[in-house]
Each structure stands twice: as structure tokens, then as C-alpha cells.
Amino acid sequence: MTAYKDLSKDELKALKKELTRKFEEVKAKGLKLDMSRGKPSTEQLNLSMGMMDVLTSSSDLVCEEGVDCRNYGVLDGIREAKQLLADMMEVPKDNIVIFGNSSLNVMYDTVARSMIHGVMGSTPWCKLDKVKFLCPVPGYDRHFAITEHFGIEMINVPMTPTGPDMDMVEKLVSSDPAIKGIWCVPKYSNPQGITYSDETVHRFAKLNPAAEDFRIYWDNAYGIHHLYEDKQDYLIEILMECKKEGHPDMVYKFSSTSKISFPGSGIAAIAASDANLAEIREQMKIQTIGHDKLNQLRHARYFKNIHGMVEHMKKHAASMRPKFDTVLASLEKELGGLEIGSWLAPRGGYFISFDSLDGCAKAIVAKAKEAGLIMTNAGATYPYGKDSHDSNIRIAPSYPTLDEIKRAMEVFTLSVKLVSVEKLLAQVK
């Protein structure tokens, strides 16, 4: 294919006319497609229906500690559920605290505790003149929403093929005591699908922050969400690395079963050092009498162990893989060689990140919506919703059916072409 930038003005005008005709034909179909959020599909949810039958009215509901899971007790999670999530998160079970169904909730609570009470004896953030977080971009919009909600200033850090720009991270963290944290999705990152390299993880563990209460918010949301059995990314375990480097308290690690079992009723956990967890448990005594132990028991008995969970995730991969392959094949077929966009082919996770020509993302999303396709808002992958290049678009293939994805990608690639031609024409003298 000839790159669009190499076309003459007359050729671009003719191409725009043809693309407009095709767009109007698609628009006339009255499509109603949604590829805006990374929700599991009904097919994926059905994979876990056996969990509904694990506990019945005649079940023994006593956990390994000897506590009746219908009653009060076991504040930080029952032993068998802690073992399951500890193995999933690759940490000792004594370094796990289990919460409710959402890791996002745990992250919110962790920031809120720091705002109100400080971190391990430090000044509460709410009493400081300025609190800042580093935000790898493009990144996870819900992370950014938490820090924005608390009035925390967010600083963009560009993502590279091996993770965040660590030169920039090291410089900022070591020089500014107002920087209290950094958001990370280290494996199959949202939205690019990048996994942090060994060197990146080592450099995180060796950080020497100016703030004693600096913490790495390590959201390993997609730790076992591989798409391919023969092509899987590997991530070094961060808690152990920090401990090796003499910084055992520097990281909070989060995860959940939300995209493994049921998003509305999974179990979430935080993994951290003994000192961090001691403080969290003390505050939890005031906050709650305990989370849903029956749900914890249900998960433990259904999956049995990490091997059962891994086998279960192979079924998820079988559902997700054709959708990702369809999106990537469509991008390559329709846009490959045109030099109007770029993308990565992730080996896991829930998203595909697309970068358009600068200044085109919002227009592409609006054009797609005009033809009946809802995408994630352009800019959502940046703090405050502001992508200075107006180029990044997050594609979420998980929820639609395969047929819907094929139609959605027809709309999307057509929208990219049309907006790109209009952009190039506006630049031609």
C-alpha cells in the first residue's frame, strides 16, 4: 500500500470522496456496537458458573481456621483463599490481606488511608501543601481517576517498550519529596499490553525516593491473563526484589479474580511487607468486621489451587484469542503500510492500544460513534483526560461477539482512514 502522506492533493481528494461514500453506506446500516470497556463477555462469565454450585445449604462452611464462614471472624481473609491468591500473586500467604470483590476499591482505600492517616507514621497527605503521583502514559484511566479525586497532582511518564521511562522515574522520585507514588500495570499493561522488562523491575526495586512514604502502586491485574500458551510474558516478582534491595516497604501489590471468576463478585487482595500490612490490619479493625468469607471459601473450593486457576484461564484465553487476532488482522489488512497509525500486538491482558496521527484521536472516536460504534473516549488513557498528542485510542475486544468485532473494526478502520485523509488534506498547501 502507498502511504497516505505520499499521495498528491488530487489523490487525497479522490480518496476522501471514495471513503466518504463507503462511510455513508456503513452509517446507513444503523449499527449499535460497543467496544468501549474491557468487560468479560457472557461466554467468559459462563466459564465460572460451576462456582455457583460449590456451596449449597448442606455444605460444610467451616474454613481451615475452624471458623464458620457465615459468622464474624478472620479479618484479613481465610487461609485457603489467602494461599490461592498468594500463589497467583507469587508471594508468601502471610504477606496477603484479602478484601472484597474489587482491587480498585483496595487501591482507593489505600490512597484514602494515606491521605487521612499518613503512611507508617509519616505526615498525613491531607496536611501537606502538595502531593504528586507519577503516571505512566498511556495508562489506566481508573487509576488516574482515584488520584484526581483526592486532588493529587499527576505527572506523566512516557511508556517505552520495556515499561515506564525509568531515567525520568529515578530522577523525579529521588529529587522531589512531594512525589508519594507511581501507578503501575506491570504485566500486559493497560492499554498497550507491555510487560516490564527485568531491568525495569530491578530499577524500580533500587529506587531511592526523597519521600520516606513513597510507594509503588503495583497493579498486577493481568498476571495470569495470557492469550497464547506458547507466547507468554514473564515478570519478575517486585516484593522480593524490593526486599533484596533493602526497600521491603516500598511497594503495594494489588490483584483480584475479577476477570478470572465474576467481576461483580470476585476476591481482591493487597500484598505488601509485614510492616505495611500491620498498619493496614490495624486500620481495618475500625473499618470492617470482615469481608465476604463465603465468597472466599467458594473461590478456594472451586479452583482448589493455582493449577486449577491456570487451567481455568486457558478457557478464557480460548475465548479472547480469536477476538484479539481479529482486531490485529483487521488493523494490518486495512491500515498496514498507510502510515496513519501504529499499534502493538500484546500477548495477554484486555486491550489493544492504537496511536493515530497526532490530532486525530478525538475525531476518529467521534466519527466511529457517528457510524454506530462506541469507543473509549480519546484521552481517557491520560491523566485529566488530556492526551497532548490527541493520538491514543484504547480498543477493548473482550465484550463484543466475534461477529460484532468484525463489524466494529470495519467502522473503526474506515473512520481512521477518513479522518487521516482530512488531516493530511488540511496540511497540503
Side-chain angles (χ1 to χ4, degrees), residues 166 169-170 173-174 198-209 214 216 238 240-248 250:
M166 290 307 295
V169 171
E170 289 167 347
V173 167
S174 64
D198 291 1
E199 181 187 359
T200 295
V201 178
H202 289 316
R203 291 176 74 174
F204 264 109
K206 292 177 181 179
L207 287 176
N208 287 299
F214 172 84
I216 302 166
I238 186 66
M240 183 57 69
E241 287 304 308
C242 285
K243 187 175 182 179
K244 286 179 186 176
E245 297 297 335
H247 302 140
M250 194 167 62

Side-chain angles (χ1 to χ4, degrees), residues 110-301:
T110 305
V111 173
R113 282 194 300 270
S114 303
M115 290 292 295
I116 299 168
H117 301 290
V119 179
M120 292 174 59
S122 67
T123 303
W125 294 355
C126 65
K127 295 183 179 181
L128 300 174
D129 292 333
K130 182 72 72 174
V131 177
K132 304 175 184 177
F133 255 59
L134 302 185
C135 300
V137 292
Y140 184 24
D141 53 338
R142 290 190 179 273
H143 285 166
F144 306 153
I146 291 174
T147 32
E148 183 175 5
H149 175 76
F150 285 102
I152 295 171
E153 179 183 331
M154 294 181 281
I155 301 171
N156 291 0
V157 175
M159 281 288 285
T160 76
T162 58
D165 180 339
M166 290 307 295
D167 289 341
M168 185 174 180
V169 171
E170 289 167 347
K171 181 179 179 180
L172 290 171
V173 167
S174 64
S175 62
D176 189 348
I179 294 175
K180 304 299 186 182
I182 180 171
W183 290 116
C184 295
V185 182
K187 192 167 187 178
Y188 303 134
S189 67
N190 179 350
Q192 293 169 300
I194 291 170
T195 296
Y196 294 7
S197 69
D198 291 1
E199 181 187 359
T200 295
V201 178
H202 289 316
R203 291 176 74 174
F204 264 109
K206 292 177 181 179
L207 287 176
N208 287 299
E212 64 177 2
D213 51 350
F214 172 84
R215 293 293 183 270
I216 302 166
Y217 281 63
W218 195 262
D219 183 6
N220 203 13
Y222 309 113
I224 58 173
H225 292 70
H226 310 290
L227 287 170
Y228 311 96
E229 284 197 48
D230 58 338
K231 295 183 295 181
Q232 298 183 357
D233 289 356
Y234 171 76
L235 176 70
I236 292 178
E237 202 290 300
I238 186 66
L239 258 69
M240 183 57 69
E241 287 304 308
C242 285
K243 187 175 182 179
K244 286 179 186 176
E245 297 297 335
H247 302 140
D249 302 329
M250 194 167 62
V251 61
Y252 298 132
K253 186 174 182 179
F254 306 92
S255 195
S256 79
T257 67
S258 290
K259 290 184 172 70
I260 297 173
S261 55
F262 299 122
S265 54
I267 50 176
I270 184 172
S273 67
D274 293 340
N276 278 319
L277 292 186
E279 180 179 57
I280 290 170
R281 289 187 183 103
E282 274 302 308
Q283 294 179 17
M284 282 177 66
K285 291 177 182 177
I286 310 301
Q287 183 183 25
T288 181
I289 298 173
H291 294 96
D292 187 344
K293 293 187 294 298
L294 288 175
N295 195 33
Q296 295 172 29
L297 188 66
R298 183 184 296 118
H299 277 74
R301 291 187 180 174

